[in-house]
Amino acid sequence: MTLPLGLLDWIAVAVFVACWVVYALVVDRVPSIRARSVIAAMDEHRRRWMLAALARENRIADISAIGNLMSSTSFLATTSILILGGLVAMMSAPDPARRIVAILPWSQVPDELMWEIKIGMLLVIFVNAFFELTWALRQFNYTSTILVGMPSDPAAVHHAEVAARLANRGARHFNTGLRSYYFGLAALAWIVHPLALIFASLLVLRELHRREFRSAARDALATREIR
């Protein structure tokens, strides 16, 4: 039995996967490109933060900052669970949701099998988001443990480097989970029409690139501008 995907659906899915996977591979795996991103700029600032913490005996503010990172990560991880629950409900009771799609302008109402395929893709995306975010949460937790145990000695650079690497890895997985949210919103457009998926994927790609490489925040965080 062949999948009920038309040519336009295959094209839309290919564009979606290319936007997400190729972008992630290029930005995360090509050092010369990653070095120009806001993520790389923040990596250096987190390293400076941990080095500066070596000179402080009272690290309540540092632990509070780690707690804020964990709170935002935990919020998104919890939200992904709620989204997954809603998607499972949409898959188990497709008729009410399909009737809503039918009243949208230019919508292409999928049959039951096609509906399950589209919702299934959303399930995969947000399961990925959940695992990335919970792993980021654990690494921020590890960072707080290392931070508390660091000696108050500016010469103990190794301890600060370990804490910085953990914090940076946590931030990287947080960013990957957040990227899943962005592309999950793009995948939601496939429920309406394959062309909507193509447009939404390209829009998300453009917005991610702008925020990570051409935003005012990236310019402000660029290490060459901060002496």
Side-chain angles (χ1 to χ4, degrees):
M1 181 178 178
T2 59
L3 294 177
L5 292 176
L7 177 60
L8 189 56
D9 288 300
W10 280 115
I11 293 172
V13 172
V15 170
F16 173 80
V17 172
C19 287
W20 189 357
V21 175
V22 175
Y23 179 81
L25 288 175
V26 170
V27 172
D28 296 339
R29 305 290 182 180
V30 180
S32 60
I33 294 176
R34 188 181 184 280
R36 300 196 298 270
S37 69
V38 68
I39 301 169
M42 281 303 303
D43 283 351
E44 179 59 24
H45 287 295
R46 277 185 287 268
R47 178 177 175 274
R48 293 181 182 182
W49 169 22
M50 295 305 163
L51 289 171
L54 288 172
R56 289 192 288 269
E57 291 187 7
N58 188 334
R59 295 182 182 142
I60 294 176
D62 301 298
I63 297 301
S64 178
I66 294 289
N68 288 336
L69 294 175
M70 294 175 66
S71 295
S72 58
T73 307
S74 178
F75 170 77
L76 288 176
T78 302
T79 302
S80 65
I81 288 292
L82 297 176
I83 292 171
L84 287 170
L87 290 172
V88 170
M90 290 176 68
M91 182 174 284
S92 61
D95 290 338
R98 287 167 61 198
R99 284 197 295 269
I100 294 174
V101 173
I103 66 176
L104 298 174
W106 306 296
S107 63
Q108 187 181 79
V109 183
D111 59 30
E112 189 168 342
L113 180 57
M114 190 64 179
W115 178 266
E116 291 178 357
I117 292 171
K118 293 180 176 183
I119 299 301
M121 187 169 80
L122 285 167
L123 283 168
V124 170
I125 291 169
F126 283 100
V127 165
N128 177 72
F130 173 77
F131 278 107
E132 291 288 344
L133 291 165
T134 51
W135 182 225
L137 184 62
R138 289 182 66 183
Q139 291 184 87
F140 288 140
N141 193 9
Y142 300 155
T143 304
S144 66
T145 302
I146 298 297
L147 183 60
V148 170
M150 286 195 313
S152 300
D153 180 4
V157 175
H158 172 70
H159 293 80
E161 294 286 357
V162 170
R165 284 199 298 271
L166 281 172
N168 288 338
R169 290 292 300 178
R172 196 172 305 171
H173 284 278
F174 175 82
N175 186 66
T176 303
L178 193 59
R179 200 177 288 162
S180 295
Y181 267 79
Y182 278 96
F183 281 103
L185 292 175
L188 187 62
W190 192 23
I191 292 176
V192 178
H193 197 278
L195 288 177
L197 174 59
I198 294 174
F199 175 77
S201 300
L202 295 174
L203 183 63
V204 166
L205 181 65
R206 174 186 174 276
E207 189 63 19
L208 282 174
H209 180 266
R210 185 190 68 80
R211 293 187 178 192
E212 293 188 4
F213 292 93
R214 298 182 180 276
S215 65
R218 185 265 168 197
D219 292 339
L221 289 167
T223 54
R224 66 177 181 272
E225 297 181 5
I226 301 177
R227 304 300 180 186

